Each structure stands twice: as structure tokens, then as C-alpha cells.
Amino acid sequence: MEMINVALPKGRLGEKVYDLFERAGYPCPSIREPNRKLIFENEEVGVRYFWVKPSDVAIYVERGAADIGVAGKDILLEYSPDVYELLDLGLGKCRMAVAAKVGFRENPASTLRVATKFSNIASAYYAEKCRDIDIIHLNGSIEIAPILGLSDVIVDIVETGKTLLENDLEPTETIVQISARLIANKSAYKFKNKEVLALKERLAELLEKQL
Ligand code: PRP
């Protein structure tokens, strides 16, 4: 049997994703053992899992190191990897939003300073509004930027809204809703079509039952 190589996002989302795959008929019990291994396989069901950094899943899949993977829509929009998006798994739901200090009033006459990890998403959003902006690319703790006066607003992921609230920031606009997506390498989709489609169908059936 052809093995399917699956890149899973390491962390909380990845655990939920693995649970889903397990229930869909692709278990790999050794993955639950407490150790630091990154590769697990179950030859019986033809699956091999890799734990990778969530923002790297699409790279593994695009280059064929993994046949399929699970990546957030935020990563897919930001990096536009050349992969197929097969299914919305409905996990890791959050939104990409603009946020600012509570009470911030935008001056439409001046360039808006936008701090973000998602430079492409932010640029596209403001380009559509014909808004002149200055992107300040950061790698994390974005919420600090407006507090320290580094930026006027931020573009970031909001899940519960707690991080914003606890830092005296508030969401001002929603850019797009985000959730985890099943993605496939383009040639694996062709050459392992039967296996990839079978896996997708079993996940889709399981998700429908949950509704
Ligand atoms: C994300 C995001 C916010 C936080 C939002 O950070 O950047 O900081 O989650 O969640 P909340 O609305 O539930 O408070 P993440 O933990 O992914 O790490 P990061 O700081 O590297 O972006």
C-alpha cells in the first residue's frame, strides 16, 4: 500500500487535528506516547505523520516532503503556496482583524502605520481600500506595537479577544474568517489520488456527522 505522508501542525491545533484523523480511520497510537519524536508511522493503515511548525506545513506540502497537511487559512492567504486546498476542517476557528488602542481615531490624511506578521494580507486589504499604509513587519507580540507608539494599528489573529482586551486594544475591522484547511501537494494529488481522496472523504463524512 502507498503510504500517505501527513504534515501536522505541532501544538494544540495539531492534537485536535490528529484526533480527527484517528477517528477517521488513520490511527497511529505511538504518536500519543510521551516523547519528542517528530515522525510516526502506521504501516497497517498506510499513514506517516510529521509534527512541523504550523507556519511551515504549507512548505512541506508544496515541495512534496509531505503529501498532505493541515494549515491555517491565514498561512495560505499570506504565503499563497502552490497546493490544493481540499477541505475546511472547521478547527482552529478565529479571525484576522485590525485592532487599535481603545479610542484610537484614524487620521485619513496621513499614512496609517500597520504592525503585523501578515504583511501580504494587510497590504492586500488596504490596497483594496486605496488606503496609504506603512507596513511594520513583526514576528510576534504584535499587540505591543500600538502601545509603544510603533504603529497606529495591528493586523493580527483574534480568537477569544482576550489578548486585545488585556492590552487595552480593541478590534476595529474583521478582514477574514480563519480555520484549519486540509491541503495536498499537487503531484501527490495526481499520483496518490485514490489514497488522498479516500482520506479526504473519510474526514468529510466525520465532519458532517459532527454537525
Ligand atoms: C495569536 C495572536 C494573538 C492571540 C489571540 O498569537 O497573535 O496574540 O493568538 O488570541 P486571543 O484572541 O484568544 O487572545 P499566538 O498564540 O498564535 O502567537 P504569536 O504571539 O506568535 O502570534
Side-chain angles (χ1 to χ4, degrees):
M1 194 204 298
E2 278 263 47
M3 293 288 272
I4 298 197
N5 296 302
V6 186
L8 293 180
K10 214 174 164 189
R12 212 158 41 94
L13 173 64
E15 308 283 333
K16 285 191 200 154
V17 171
Y18 170 72
D19 286 346
L20 197 66
F21 276 66
E22 188 180 68
R23 282 190 284 133
Y26 297 86
C28 189
S30 57
I31 211 166
R32 295 202 188 271
E33 289 165 11
N35 59 44
R36 298 227 165 183
K37 277 173 66 170
L38 299 172
I39 303 180
F40 299 88
E41 68 176 56
N42 183 349
E43 263 188 75
E44 261 172 59
V45 295
V47 72
R48 187 181 292 123
Y49 293 107
F50 317 127
W51 288 123
V52 309
K53 199 173 160 151
S55 50
D56 289 341
V57 167
I59 300 175
Y60 284 84
V61 174
E62 180 175 35
R63 292 181 173 264
D67 301 315
I68 61 169
V70 174
K73 185 68 180 173
D74 52 332
I75 300 296
L76 302 179
L77 290 170
E78 179 63 19
Y79 299 105
S80 307
D82 191 18
V83 297
Y84 291 131
E85 191 182 312
L86 301 182
L87 192 63
D88 183 346
L89 298 180
L91 296 170
K93 280 192 182 165
C94 53
R95 63 188 168 119
M96 185 68 63
V98 180
K101 278 210 290 198
V102 173
F104 169 74
R105 294 264 299 277
E106 190 177 325
N107 176 357
S110 68
T111 302
L112 186 71
R113 295 170 307 150
V114 183
T116 188
K117 250 199 308 201
F118 301 94
S119 298
N120 294 326
I121 293 175
S123 299
Y125 177 69
Y126 285 106
E128 193 161 300
K129 297 176 29 142
C130 296
R131 181 69 167 102
D132 193 22
I133 61 161
D134 181 11
I135 292 271
I136 300 160
H137 189 91
L138 298 176
N139 297 299
S141 299
I142 318 294
E143 291 84 0
I144 284 190
I147 298 166
L148 300 183
L150 179 64
S151 75
D152 301 310
V153 299
I154 63 172
V155 165
D156 200 10
I157 283 170
V158 179
E159 193 183 346
T160 60
K162 223 171 152 208
T163 309
L164 293 180
L165 198 67
E166 291 188 5
N167 289 290
D168 299 319
L169 302 175
E170 61 186 3
T172 54
E173 295 149 68
T174 294
I175 299 180
V176 64
Q177 298 294 332
I178 305 290
S179 58
R181 308 295 162 102
L182 179 69
I183 57 172
N185 171 268
K186 288 192 167 177
S187 66
Y189 188 77
K190 203 164 154 191
F191 295 109
K192 296 187 184 177
N193 191 263
K194 209 174 72 171
E195 290 83 355
V196 171
L197 283 187
L199 188 147
K200 178 200 153 181
E201 285 312 319
R202 289 169 84 163
L203 287 172
E205 278 166 25
L206 191 62
L207 292 172
E208 251 172 56
K209 264 193 246 156
Q210 283 181 346
L211 285 180

